[in-house]
Amino acid sequence: MTRPSSRRRWWAGLLTALAGAATGTLRAEALKISCGAVGQELELCQQAAQQWARKTGHTVQVVATPNDASERLALFQQVLAARSDRIDVFQVDVVWPGLLASHLLDLRPYSQGIEQTHFASFVANNTVRGRLVAMPWLANAGLLFYRKDLLQKYGERVPLTWDELTATARRVMEAERAAGHARLWGYVWQGRAYEGLSCNALEWLASHGAGTVVAADGRVTVRNAHAAAALKTAASWVGSITPKAVLNYAEEEARGVFQAGNAVFMRNWPYAWAPAQGAESVIRGKVGVAALPGGAGGRPSATLGGESLAVSRYSRYPALAADLVLYLTSADVQKQRALVGAYNPTLPALYRDADIARSAPFIAELADTFTNAVARPTAATGRRYNQVSNQFWNAAHDVLAGTATPDEALVRLEATLQRLGRNGKWN
Ligand code: GLC
């Protein structure tokens, strides 16, 4: 039961708030932010948002979101299409600015040029028709995580090609299983039908010299022999070195298997390093990080990923929301996130930071992997990118599940993409 005095206080508070709202003098505003939920994203977002709230006297509520990137996009598109003010600040994937730009605020009037301290390519990616619609927050590239202890035990080196990876994974898995580690798998990655599979499949294709599905000039290039070979190799892993359940794995499911000590190799983003090295981790001190392998005739390829923060045009507090974005993307917060969660900064200056180099050495060691990462075909396909990706991940999923051969899947994919892209005229 509420006591009369506290009930009176509650009413008095409400009346003050309403009066304040009516005259526009309301001081403490309540902002809502939706961050990602992969690894420690939610926790770190929550902490930094509360720091901002303490500093400014406002409140911030962190809205829960699905950790699957494609589900998150669907939710955001729904909220924004309804012009709802339910979320003020969104965490947007590097492949979304072109899709969401018309709903997002131009941050330049608030940023005072601070975007110039971030990677220029990221800022260019987030600038749509001259408007800076999102501030970079973390950079991603696909990486190969491996068990140093197991490779050493069998005298194996870190694989440089997919064939080497396949052979090493099989050899270590079979020997360890024979020795009683029945649940060990060779290689885990992201095979669910969602954006993460497009990232994995792009790595297979690009590393085989098969291109990036749609070329920079808008041509659909995906039907080629290298692409077929790449998909064939990936499909051959499923049920042999990779569990069939991978067909439903996103980032966190793959990490769950690796983190439990049940995989020799894993493809994932940098964040997977922090929990692997955590105090409680059974694989602490046993994990190495390297560039993903290359294919026959191809080069190692990592898909470029990353996240930014954007303000909704339907926010009631655009200036405050922009201030929150600038705080969260600042060097201090990015450094903290790199140290605690192994999220790669978007500020080149932090790549020379000694504390970060100590806690996540691969961030500096794999600088080439990050700078040469392959972009998904967003520039060529513009607002149709998500449809293109959807077709691509479905085609790859069909091949992995064994319901289509690589050739069948690629012929169909090419025809669909050509229809979507009206012969290269995507926008
Ligand atoms: C990560 C990347 C993002 C990518 C997604 C796929 O969140 O930052 O760019 O689209 O993974 O699952």
Side-chain angles (χ1 to χ4, degrees), residues 360-381:
F362 69 87
I363 292 186
E365 281 163 23
L366 295 178
D368 276 1
T369 303
F370 296 109
T371 42
N372 296 329
V374 182
R376 283 162 273 176
T378 46
T381 60

Side-chain angles (χ1 to χ4, degrees), residues 38 41 67-70 72 91 93-96 138-140 190 194-197 199 250-251 267 269 304-307 376:
V38 174
E41 269 182 337
N67 68 11
D68 172 318
S70 301
R72 196 152 55 88
Q91 177 178 323
D93 192 321
V94 68
V95 289
W96 301 348
L138 65 104
N140 264 333
Q190 294 77 43
Y194 81 122
E195 184 63 29
L197 175 53
C199 296
E251 286 83 1
R267 184 269 178 212
W269 307 108
L304 180 68
E307 308 289 323
R376 283 162 273 176

Side-chain angles (χ1 to χ4, degrees), residues 21-258:
T23 58
T25 56
L26 191 67
R27 295 260 160 203
E29 312 288 10
L31 271 84
K32 283 155 283 157
I33 179 169
S34 177
C35 332
V38 174
Q40 298 170 67
E41 269 182 337
L42 199 58
E43 198 183 314
L44 290 176
C45 175
Q46 181 87 40
Q47 280 169 15
Q50 295 321 326
Q51 282 160 14
W52 179 84
R54 275 196 298 278
K55 206 165 70 89
T56 59
H58 299 287
T59 56
V60 188
Q61 192 193 334
V62 177
V63 182
T65 31
N67 68 11
D68 172 318
S70 301
E71 285 175 18
R72 196 152 55 88
L73 175 60
L75 172 72
F76 287 2
Q77 283 178 315
Q78 213 179 358
V79 171
L80 290 168
R83 298 171 173 251
S84 159
D85 65 355
R86 234 172 78 199
I87 301 173
D88 300 286
V89 175
F90 291 86
Q91 177 178 323
V92 301
D93 192 321
V94 68
V95 289
W96 301 348
L99 307 174
L100 303 181
S102 61
H103 300 289
L104 304 175
L105 200 71
D106 182 2
L107 294 173
R108 280 174 319 167
Y110 306 96
S111 67
Q112 298 181 332
I114 194 81
E115 63 275 16
Q116 284 152 25
T117 57
H118 293 257
F119 286 121
S121 54
F122 218 138
V123 174
N125 179 78
N126 292 1
T127 305
V128 182
R129 287 180 288 283
R131 300 165 67 243
L132 177 64
V133 297
M135 194 60 85
W137 202 22
L138 65 104
N140 264 333
L143 299 172
L144 182 69
F145 291 80
Y146 61 91
R147 286 285 299 279
K148 278 193 304 201
D149 57 328
L150 292 177
L151 294 196
Q152 203 170 16
K153 181 169 170 188
Y154 293 94
E156 293 282 0
R157 60 170 190 162
V158 179
L160 297 177
T161 65
W162 292 114
D163 284 348
E164 277 175 29
L165 177 138
T166 310
T168 305
R170 179 170 298 125
R171 175 167 175 235
V172 175
M173 182 185 94
E174 283 172 358
E176 285 290 297
R177 282 189 180 186
H181 191 165
R183 295 168 69 184
L184 186 72
W185 287 98
Y187 186 35
V188 291
W189 34 278
Q190 294 77 43
R192 178 187 298 178
Y194 81 122
E195 184 63 29
L197 175 53
S198 288
C199 296
N200 282 247
L202 179 65
E203 282 156 0
W204 306 329
L205 262 62
S207 65
H208 279 76
T212 56
V213 184
V214 176
D217 63 4
R219 266 175 318 118
V220 176
T221 54
V222 75
R223 182 157 78 95
N224 64 71
H226 297 306
L231 290 177
K232 190 169 163 226
T233 302
S236 77
W237 299 327
V238 181
S240 64
I241 57 170
T242 297
K244 285 214 174 80
V246 80
L247 294 172
N248 204 26
Y249 281 5
E251 286 83 1
E252 286 291 80
E253 286 79 11
R255 188 175 69 78
V257 177
F258 190 74

